[in-house]
Amino acid sequence: MTAVGYVHGYSEHEARRLGDQADTLAALLHTGSVYPAGSRVLEVGCGVGAQTVHLVTAGPEAYLTAVDVSEDSLAQARARVAADAPTATVEWCRADLFDLPYGDAAFDHLFVCFVLEHLADPQQALAGLRRVLRPGGTITVIEGDHGSAFFHPDSAGARAVIDQQIRLQSAAGGNALIGRQLQPLLARAGYADVVVRPRTVYADRTRPSLVEGFTRNTFIAMIESVREDALAAGLTTPADWDWGMADLSRTAEDDGTFHYTFFKARAVNP
Amino acid sequence: MTAVGYVHGYSEHEARRLGDQADTLAALLHTGSVYPAGSRVLEVGCGVGAQTVHLVTAGPEAYLTAVDVSEDSLAQARARVAADAPTATVEWCRADLFDLPYGDAAFDHLFVCFVLEHLADPQQALAGLRRVLRPGGTITVIEGDHGSAFFHPDSAGARAVIDQQIRLQSAAGGNALIGRQLQPLLARAGYADVVVRPRTVYADRTRPSLVEGFTRNTFIAMIESVREDALAAGLTTPADWDWGMADLSRTAEDDGTFHYTFFKARAVNP
């Protein structure tokens, strides 16, 4: 999305992880969002289209435009929407969110999901996006916060591997703890009527699809994906890493429980 | 409730804190709970009655019995219910939850809120409570988890004072991180159909009553109340404590945000 590296990488495995995550979390993250017929909606940083398929479902008669800085991600997003929502019409565009090729006030609504966490200056990004949003138009922002991850059995090793992912994301110019900051970020960027609500995932053995879809295939997979980077950065050793990941995996087994909070914000461009 | 000390103390200030907490959180914690007319409900560990007033509202025609191990707390609970719900009929009884003066299967429902966190063996307590619950009867358990507390601005000092409260509670035989364990605890205690759901509090300046009622008057007040114990135990110094509390207080000011998750469980006595 900008010059900073994308901490999660661009592998096929990562694209599948993002798809799993979006499908498991669709109800949690998209509930309450409706895009009226005829409204002009811009998805900023659509990536591989994991959320795009849910946007076209939430607003089948809206005019949806999706931009991403990666040509390769856009190609995957196109393919995903063609497969999952073949009747949907999406305008795709390769663009940097800091230099969008649209006129002032071109959109009624902006959708920004899992993007700010990768930016060095999220407040500046939000402020800049106001240009293409009409006065009175709204923005939806969704972000996680890895500080919300806690689990049973608790484990210093598991907390350490999560902390290493947070550090790597920070070193890449991002912020894995950004969810808690959405309210001040949006307010300082000039938006009005900011409303932020937590969307909490809690998984235990009585909810096996969440254990599989979220704890294992979304969160643990995301942490596991930074193993080589964590080793290369000297943040851990193979033995410590494997110990931490083994403990983290136990939260998705037997009597394990896992908690994570996403934040969903909505605000108005005054 | 048992031989272990009650980490929060028994002061008048503490009673007010528990009342503030219960009133602010009533909707969050009690939503979805209904006690049918004629059902026999036992509140185990009613303390100063902070939840009792909400139970009589949720089940005005249920037969509510409330027990606590502290005669003094019971007196305060009586006074609170008399003031806030003067038409309610509550049967009060001083008793230890490990030695309840009731026959087998005497109740249709048990309500246990902010009690297990103070017990050295919560699983044993839950298993023992099944005796007074009729087969097919249900139990509601509500607990917090201080590991769910995160905030903006983040601060190592603020995290340290919370950690000191967690350690003191642990040293007193309790567990301030018990919320995440409710599902395995209830299952191992022999309950069936265990359902645990998070009840998340998120406060920022757009929700001033939550900032005041929860962040400041509930959570921060609870941490502040262990200051002398933390100093006496050698866990901190006056300067470090004050620094941490000052940072924690900033989460209730200006651009601060605060997140905390309670867990509400419901299960059946098979």
Side-chain angles (χ1 to χ4, degrees):
Chain A
M1 192 45 58
T2 59
V4 305
Y6 184 66
V7 69
H8 305 316
Y10 285 104
S11 69
E12 187 187 335
H13 182 81
E14 171 63 10
R16 197 162 54 238
R17 184 187 74 80
L18 293 170
D20 281 350
Q21 169 178 289
D23 293 344
T24 298
L25 299 178
L28 184 79
L29 300 182
H30 291 276
T31 294
S33 294
V34 178
Y35 306 102
S39 63
R40 302 158 301 166
V41 178
L42 176 66
E43 183 183 10
V44 180
C46 67
V48 298
Q51 306 302 327
T52 318
V53 293
H54 299 289
L55 289 177
V56 299
T57 305
E61 297 185 66
Y63 295 110
L64 178 61
T65 302
V67 304
D68 200 87
V69 74
S70 159
E71 193 73 72
D72 189 52
S73 293
L74 273 177
Q76 292 182 62
R78 261 180 219 265
R80 180 186 295 272
V81 171
D84 293 357
T87 64
T89 309
V90 179
E91 181 86 20
W92 304 96
C93 178
R94 201 202 76 78
D96 189 306
L97 71 82
F98 288 100
D99 187 24
L100 290 172
Y102 303 107
D104 294 356
F107 296 95
D108 301 298
H109 189 78
L110 307 181
F111 181 85
V112 189
C113 182
F114 305 146
V115 172
L116 300 183
E117 62 165 322
H118 300 296
L119 304 182
D121 193 339
Q123 183 182 323
Q124 186 196 0
L126 288 171
L129 287 174
R130 289 179 56 205
R131 183 186 67 77
V132 300
L133 182 58
R134 71 164 167 83
T138 53
I139 184 170
T140 296
V141 180
I142 300 174
E143 292 290 345
D145 190 312
H146 292 2
S148 71
F150 62 94
F151 35 80
H152 176 72
D154 198 6
S155 151
R159 280 184 271 122
V161 293
I162 295 170
D163 187 57
Q164 285 149 23
Q165 195 281 340
I166 293 170
R167 287 194 209 192
L168 287 168
Q169 188 157 346
S170 183
N175 180 3
L177 309 176
I178 201 169
R180 70 189 75 181
Q181 295 190 31
L182 290 189
Q183 190 276 328
L185 281 172
L186 282 157
R188 287 184 196 156
Y191 292 86
D193 301 335
V194 181
V195 174
V196 178
R197 291 293 180 271
R199 302 269 170 129
T200 303
V201 185
Y202 164 72
D204 65 34
R205 69 186 307 164
T206 69
R207 310 174 89 176
S209 65
L210 265 185
V211 172
E212 192 65 17
F214 184 76
T215 309
R216 192 172 279 124
N217 292 344
T218 299
F219 191 85
I220 294 177
M222 176 192 62
I223 300 298
E224 179 61 38
S225 73
V226 301
R227 181 182 198 275
E228 298 313 315
D229 290 341
L231 290 169
L235 296 177
T236 187
T237 64
D240 282 348
W241 178 270
D242 292 344
W243 166 57
M245 288 306 301
D247 274 7
L248 190 56
S249 295
R250 290 180 60 206
T251 71
E253 293 161 12
D254 304 330
D255 281 347
T257 71
F258 195 89
H259 172 285
Y260 191 91
T261 299
F262 295 93
F263 290 87
K264 183 171 184 176
R266 194 175 165 95
V268 175
N269 188 26
Chain B
M1 193 46 55
T2 58
V4 305
Y6 184 65
V7 71
H8 305 315
Y10 285 103
S11 69
E12 187 187 333
H13 182 83
E14 170 64 11
R16 199 163 54 241
R17 184 188 75 78
L18 294 170
D20 282 351
Q21 170 177 290
D23 294 343
T24 298
L25 299 178
L28 184 79
L29 300 182
H30 291 277
T31 295
S33 292
V34 179
Y35 307 101
S39 62
R40 302 158 300 166
V41 178
L42 176 66
E43 182 183 11
V44 180
C46 66
V48 297
Q51 306 301 327
T52 319
V53 293
H54 299 290
L55 289 177
V56 299
T57 305
E61 297 186 67
Y63 295 111
L64 178 61
T65 302
V67 305
D68 200 88
V69 75
S70 160
E71 193 72 72
D72 189 52
S73 293
L74 273 177
Q76 293 183 61
R78 261 180 219 266
R80 179 186 295 271
V81 170
D84 293 357
T87 63
T89 310
V90 179
E91 181 89 20
W92 304 96
C93 179
R94 202 202 76 76
D96 189 305
L97 71 81
F98 288 100
D99 187 24
L100 290 173
Y102 303 107
D104 295 356
F107 296 95
D108 300 299
H109 189 78
L110 306 181
F111 181 85
V112 188
C113 182
F114 305 145
V115 172
L116 300 183
E117 61 165 324
H118 301 295
L119 304 182
D121 192 339
Q123 182 182 324
Q124 186 197 358
L126 288 170
L129 287 173
R130 288 179 55 204
R131 184 187 66 77
V132 300
L133 183 59
R134 72 165 167 80
T138 52
I139 184 170
T140 296
V141 180
I142 299 175
E143 292 290 344
D145 190 312
H146 292 1
S148 71
F150 62 95
F151 35 79
H152 175 73
D154 198 5
S155 150
R159 279 184 269 122
V161 292
I162 295 170
D163 187 56
Q164 284 148 24
Q165 195 281 342
I166 294 170
R167 286 194 210 190
L168 287 169
Q169 189 157 346
S170 182
N175 180 3
L177 309 177
I178 201 170
R180 69 189 77 180
Q181 295 189 30
L182 290 189
Q183 189 276 329
L185 281 173
L186 282 158
R188 288 183 196 157
Y191 292 86
D193 300 335
V194 181
V195 173
V196 178
R197 290 293 179 271
R199 300 269 171 128
T200 303
V201 185
Y202 164 73
D204 64 35
R205 68 186 308 162
T206 69
R207 311 174 89 177
S209 64
L210 264 185
V211 171
E212 193 65 16
F214 184 76
T215 309
R216 191 172 279 124
N217 293 342
T218 300
F219 191 84
I220 294 177
M222 176 192 64
I223 300 299
E224 180 61 38
S225 73
V226 302
R227 181 181 198 274
E228 298 313 315
D229 290 342
L231 290 169
L235 296 178
T236 186
T237 65
D240 282 348
W241 178 269
D242 293 344
W243 165 57
M245 288 306 300
D247 274 6
L248 190 56
S249 295
R250 291 180 62 206
T251 70
E253 293 161 12
D254 303 330
D255 281 347
T257 71
F258 194 89
H259 173 286
Y260 191 91
T261 299
F262 295 92
F263 290 87
K264 183 171 183 175
R266 194 176 165 93
V268 176
N269 188 24

